[in-house]
Amino acid sequence: MADPTQQRRRSIFRETGLLDDVATEVAAATVQNSSKRDRPATVRFRSKDEVRVIERYPESAHTGQRVHSTSPLSSTALMYRLGGLAFILALAFPMLQSTGFLGQSALPVQPVDAGVIPVTARSHAGVDLSRRDDSPTDVCFRWAQQSAVVNGTLYLYGGQASTSEGQTENTWNNDFLTLDLTKSWDIGTPSLTGLPQPSGPPAVALGTLWSSHESLFLYGGQVSWKPIVKPGPYATWEYSIPDQQWIEHSNPKTSSGKSAPSNNDPVQGASEGASISVPSLGRGFYFGGHLDEYTTQSWANYIPRQYLQSLLEFTFPDRANPQVDALSNGQNAGSDGNYRNVTEGGLQSKAGFTDRADGILVYVPGFGDEGILIAMAGGTNETYTQMNNVDVYDIAKSEWYKQSTAGPTPTMRVNPCAGVAAAPDGSSYNIYMFGGQNLIPYGNQSQFDDMWILTVPSFTWIQVDMSKQSVPYGRSGHTCNVWNGQMVMVGGYVGTQLTCESPGIYVFDMSNLAWVQKYTAISAGSASGSDTSSSASSAASGTAAADSSSPSASSFVSTGANNPFNQQAAQLFNGTSQGGLEGSYGYSVPAAVISVIGGGPTGGATITTPAASATAGPMATGKPITYTVTDSSGATVTETAAPGSPNSGQAASNNKKSGPNIAAIVAGVIAGLLFIAVCYLLFCTYVYRKQLALYKHHVEMAQRQARGEKTPAIPGLLASDQASKSSSDRRRMDMGGYYKNSEEASRVESGSKYSSQPQTLVGQGNSGGGSGAGYQSLRRESSEDEDLLGGREPTFVGVLLNPRRSLRVVNKD
């Protein structure tokens, strides 16, 4: 059997040469565990026949190492002291109960109805946080944490953190922190707050923190390998934001549904997958990742790591999902939520759809009935996922599609971060991707510090020019979240480039494409007396009451009360719509993107389909949902066509434009000039062809006359059999009665220049009758000094330069 360490892929943060051999760690852990162990401090029952022991140890404030201390007191002295303490308590307790001593009962005792805790109550029991220390905010490095933004607060959970330079052990933690995004702060002093460390949820890294508008859901992640920690039974942990309480949902099972045959199978906790929350749909998604001995209970270390290509969908409690069989009859998910494991979604089951970990997953609304997911980057132990093709998931149909990209392609990578912002009118959604890591070849890892934009629906890559900026060090395993049109980046693994990076929080202005030194809160938090949580709840249920007309973009002032989800002013939720992409308020399309897709800062993109044409799926049949953006006077700033797809899910505004459309006027003028030019060319072509035919006809007749041949009769002219008549009679008849007398005829004859030789009429000096009676060029009047044909073959250029003369030739024939 091959070496197990070569069969499974080490984590990207483990491949830096900082960790020792796994076998040595296992042996050390075994010796330590076999040594003396402190007595468990608390015991909590989970079921009738199962006892869960939670061991608590005093921990070092910085290293987190377990400290075992020995009391200096002898056993006899300890017994005396405990006896004395019990005697004092026995005397004090009745006095506390007495109403005469303190005037009232100081410690009232109520009867307790003891009994077995019901199963439903046990699995949702909140964990007491009052005795836990607050999570540290000042660390040396922080990376691989889970994050989510809810109503202007950025939550950070777990991951890895070091408190001193060179620390390689005890980096896994379950720190729980918040970052206030409703107030402005400098990146050197961010508004970071440490919450109590929960006693129930595990210390994991590289999992996900799904978020609804009321709760956080911790899924997946991997436990420590230095020191080695074995994962326990999987459970989904929920943090109720209003109650500030952690809730355990144990032993979750899958439900079958569309593209998901798995039913009632235990849910496994994967690690290093790509995740995204869609609160408007009430769902979270986890794509790819891997399973190994640090993610799954009872996984033997000789079994190679298993990479995944599945898409795990979690329906939040009390939310609907018709694609799940158990919820297809209109039911909402129960208090534990609902899992569906999508494994047969179209291309997902084919060879071209690769297994992957360490990628990114983003949500884009407006395509299909429920929007799309876009998966990018990532790879396995030996290969990367290509970047010139991305995978697109139609949420409403549960199917994957391939979409080619245009523009320069980013270098393949794992563990970047990404954030999405919507144009004010919804005509484009721009995905910002920063950093990541190259793991191949082994031992030569490098971190990227570049920023890329994938603009949708054009699907064109644009590299951001940051040559004149102070750019954060290249990194991987960092998190990026968007609020107020700014991307907040936290932590990341930077290799050995820095001694410490504290606080390790950066802000990127997505509109101006610049790293800035300050986060600016352009949308304040909840107004005094307002109830943001109730607004969020009503919006999630689709029953919020809102003005049907969109507010003016320039006059609208966003707060936690009127815009709790930080949407663009024209895209606010209302009673019939969940509104636009969250976190985009204040974002405007940057010039680098406008140069590719057209339009302006408020939108109006002219490219609304993929540059590399889509062959199937919502990108091939649909267009983005668009909104009307107005200024303070109510005039339309920009407006694009309403979505043409019947699956758009909602209609765009049909308000008419209030001002002139300069672009349309210029385009109309150009189109008119082109039309005139085309008509002129067609006219000149017609005249040229007529003039050329006339010239050839004249040359042919002149040549026949010169040879004395009989010319054919031409309509409107006399035939050649008129020779029997007198010369004068023929002359008058040939002239068609045009001449008043013979003198005038003689004058015209002598002045004619149409013949190739001196003009002679039939019967004058021509024996046998002449042939000229059938062809008389003198039939048209002309001046003596004007020659319209000029004896030269006409040309098309000549017609273009002098169409009037050419037209006269045609008309005088």
Side-chain angles (χ1 to χ4, degrees):
M1 179 179 296
D3 186 358
T5 62
Q6 299 298 323
Q7 293 178 346
R8 65 178 183 275
R9 178 189 181 212
R10 299 182 180 181
S11 168
I12 60 171
F13 311 116
R14 191 180 180 189
E15 296 174 351
T16 60
L18 300 178
L19 303 181
D20 298 329
D21 185 71
V22 174
T24 304
E25 295 170 356
V26 174
T30 304
V31 173
Q32 182 177 359
N33 294 335
S34 63
S35 62
K36 59 183 178 180
R37 175 175 289 181
D38 293 347
R39 185 176 180 179
T42 60
V43 177
R44 182 166 66 86
F45 289 92
R46 295 184 62 211
S47 63
K48 297 179 181 179
D49 54 356
E50 180 182 2
V51 177
R52 180 181 180 188
V53 179
I54 302 178
E55 297 179 330
R56 295 179 181 173
Y57 299 90
E59 298 179 355
S60 170
H62 298 287
T63 64
Q65 295 179 343
R66 298 173 180 175
V67 181
H68 300 267
S69 59
T70 304
S71 173
L73 300 176
S74 65
S75 59
T76 304
L78 181 61
M79 291 179 62
Y80 284 141
R81 293 196 177 193
L82 290 176
L85 180 60
F87 178 77
I88 294 174
L89 291 175
L91 293 177
F93 191 81
M95 289 189 295
L96 292 174
Q97 285 291 111
S98 172
T99 58
F101 183 74
L102 296 175
Q104 60 181 357
S105 177
L107 187 63
V109 177
Q110 302 293 335
V112 178
D113 185 11
V116 179
I117 301 175
V119 176
T120 56
R122 279 200 311 275
S123 62
H124 299 84
V127 179
D128 183 12
L129 303 178
S130 60
R131 299 181 181 179
R132 302 286 293 180
D133 294 334
D134 287 342
S135 303
T137 59
D138 185 15
V139 296
C140 185
F141 288 105
R142 190 187 306 277
W143 70 97
Q145 68 275 351
Q146 293 80 205
S147 68
V149 176
V150 180
N151 303 331
T153 299
L154 173 60
Y155 292 87
L156 303 169
Y157 179 84
Q160 298 186 59
S162 61
T163 56
S164 61
E165 179 186 358
Q167 179 182 343
T168 61
E169 295 186 0
N170 298 297
T171 58
W172 271 260
N173 62 79
N174 62 349
D175 294 345
F176 193 35
L177 306 102
T178 62
L179 183 61
D180 191 356
L181 302 182
T182 65
K183 299 178 181 178
S184 300
W185 39 263
D186 295 328
I187 62 173
T189 56
S191 182
L192 197 62
T193 302
L195 300 180
Q197 294 174 324
S199 59
V204 293
L206 297 170
T208 189
L209 204 61
W210 288 320
S211 61
S212 68
H213 291 133
E214 302 86 20
S215 296
L216 305 174
F217 300 91
L218 177 64
Y219 168 78
Q222 56 192 23
V223 296
S224 170
W225 59 69
K226 196 167 187 179
I228 290 178
V229 175
K230 293 298 182 180
Y234 174 73
T236 302
W237 286 89
E238 175 187 0
Y239 179 74
S240 173
I241 297 175
D243 299 332
Q244 299 182 4
Q245 187 178 48
W246 285 97
I247 304 168
E248 181 184 13
H249 302 280
S250 59
N251 194 28
K253 301 291 183 66
T254 62
S255 295
S256 61
K258 188 169 184 180
S259 302
S262 172
N263 186 56
N264 206 35
D265 291 336
V267 174
Q268 303 291 343
S271 175
E272 295 189 270
S275 68
I276 192 66
S277 298
V278 188
S280 60
L281 297 178
R283 293 174 228 172
F285 299 89
Y286 196 86
F287 176 57
H290 67 75
L291 301 174
D292 60 17
E293 69 268 34
Y294 299 107
T295 66
T296 308
Q297 186 182 33
S298 303
W299 186 289
N301 61 4
Y302 58 82
I303 301 176
R305 171 177 289 180
Q306 179 181 351
Y307 288 94
L308 306 174
Q309 62 176 206
S310 58
L311 178 69
L312 187 65
E313 176 193 71
F314 179 66
T315 303
F316 300 151
D318 200 33
R319 296 303 301 270
N321 188 349
Q323 298 183 77
V324 178
D325 291 343
L327 307 179
S328 59
N329 55 358
Q331 288 183 321
N332 289 348
S335 58
D336 290 326
N338 188 282
Y339 281 96
R340 178 172 65 118
N341 191 20
V342 179
T343 57
E344 298 179 354
L347 295 178
Q348 189 177 13
S349 58
K350 297 183 179 180
F353 198 88
T354 58
D355 304 337
R356 72 199 74 181
D358 303 316
I360 51 181
L361 191 67
V362 297
Y363 168 70
V364 174
F367 295 92
D369 286 337
E370 296 178 330
I372 59 175
L373 303 179
I374 301 176
M376 300 181 293
T380 65
N381 193 34
E382 300 176 349
T383 61
Y384 288 107
T385 302
Q386 57 186 342
M387 301 291 287
N388 60 343
N389 282 298
V390 297
D391 294 292
V392 177
Y393 179 76
D394 187 341
I395 297 177
K397 296 184 180 298
S398 298
E399 290 189 9
W400 286 96
Y401 302 90
K402 283 285 186 183
Q403 177 59 53
S404 299
T405 63
T409 305
T411 304
M412 293 183 292
R413 63 194 68 199
V414 296
N415 268 111
C417 79
V420 189
D425 72 343
S427 60
S428 68
Y429 295 87
N430 299 308
I431 304 169
Y432 291 69
M433 181 184 72
F434 179 77
Q437 186 171 227
N438 174 24
L439 294 179
I440 301 175
Y442 175 78
N444 190 29
Q445 296 89 344
S446 59
Q447 288 75 39
F448 298 106
D449 63 352
D450 50 353
M451 178 76 75
W452 291 82
I453 299 175
L454 180 66
T455 179
V456 176
S458 171
F459 281 93
T460 301
W461 283 108
I462 303 169
Q463 185 171 14
V464 178
D465 182 9
M466 300 186 297
S467 58
K468 298 181 180 180
Q469 300 184 35
S470 176
V471 181
Y473 281 93
R475 64 196 59 226
S476 61
H478 46 303
T479 57
C480 293
N481 300 88
V482 178
W483 200 256
N484 284 328
Q486 300 161 79
M487 189 166 72
V488 179
M489 183 177 73
V490 179
Y493 179 77
V494 297
T496 58
Q497 302 179 81
L498 299 175
T499 301
C500 277
E501 187 183 47
S502 181
I505 297 177
Y506 302 90
V507 177
F508 186 77
D509 186 337
M510 303 172 78
S511 301
N512 297 310
L513 303 183
W515 292 100
V516 294
Q517 299 300 309
K518 182 177 182 177
Y519 170 81
T520 303
I522 60 176
S523 177
S526 300
S528 177
S530 64
D531 188 355
T532 303
S533 61
S534 62
S535 299
S537 178
S538 62
S541 62
T543 59
D547 186 359
S548 59
S549 60
S550 298
S552 167
S554 58
S555 62
F556 178 70
V557 178
S558 175
T559 67
N562 63 11
N563 190 14
F565 311 142
N566 204 244
Q567 297 163 323
Q568 294 279 22
Q571 306 178 26
L572 303 181
F573 72 90
N574 55 45
T576 59
S577 170
Q578 295 293 339
L581 192 67
E582 299 185 12
S584 297
Y585 180 74
Y587 173 75
S588 59
V589 183
V593 177
I594 295 172
S595 65
V596 174
I597 65 174
T602 58
T606 57
I607 299 179
T608 57
T609 57
S613 299
T615 57
M619 303 311 302
T621 59
K623 292 183 180 180
I625 296 175
T626 53
Y627 306 82
T628 300
V629 179
T630 58
D631 59 19
S632 57
S633 65
T636 300
V637 177
T638 181
E639 183 180 19
T640 55
S645 171
N647 298 325
S648 58
Q650 54 183 306
S653 173
N654 293 321
N655 294 339
K656 296 182 179 180
K657 298 182 179 180
S658 300
N661 192 327
I662 304 301
I665 294 175
V666 172
V669 171
I670 295 175
L673 293 176
L674 290 175
F675 177 76
I676 294 174
V678 170
C679 292
Y680 177 70
L681 291 175
L682 293 175
F683 168 74
C684 291
T685 302
Y686 168 77
V687 173
Y688 168 70
R689 292 172 63 88
K690 294 287 291 183
Q691 186 179 2
L692 183 61
L694 181 62
Y695 172 79
K696 292 181 178 179
H697 196 78
H698 276 260
V699 171
E700 180 184 359
M701 293 298 104
Q703 290 175 350
R704 288 190 177 187
Q705 184 177 353
R707 293 194 298 267
E709 297 178 358
K710 183 179 179 180
T711 58
I714 300 178
L717 298 181
L718 296 179
S720 58
D721 59 357
Q722 303 297 321
S724 60
K725 298 187 178 182
S726 65
S727 172
S728 58
D729 291 338
R730 289 198 308 271
R731 186 160 38 261
R732 293 186 182 93
M733 294 179 65
D734 291 342
M735 301 306 171
Y738 286 1
Y739 303 134
K740 298 179 181 179
N741 50 51
S742 59
E743 181 179 357
E744 181 179 357
S746 300
R747 177 178 59 81
V748 177
E749 292 167 15
S750 61
S752 176
K753 299 178 182 179
Y754 278 86
S755 306
S756 58
Q757 58 185 359
Q759 184 69 35
T760 58
L761 297 181
V762 178
Q764 292 184 346
N766 288 340
S767 62
S771 62
Y775 177 77
Q776 291 296 339
S777 60
L778 301 180
R779 185 167 179 259
R780 298 286 188 260
E781 294 185 78
S782 63
S783 62
E784 296 183 4
D785 57 348
E786 184 178 17
D787 183 3
L788 295 178
L789 285 178
R792 295 184 300 273
E793 181 177 353
T795 63
F796 184 73
V797 175
V799 174
L800 288 176
L801 297 178
N802 198 348
R804 182 179 178 183
R805 176 184 176 86
S806 300
L807 185 60
R808 290 179 60 193
V809 171
V810 173
N811 291 336
K812 286 184 177 294
D813 177 52

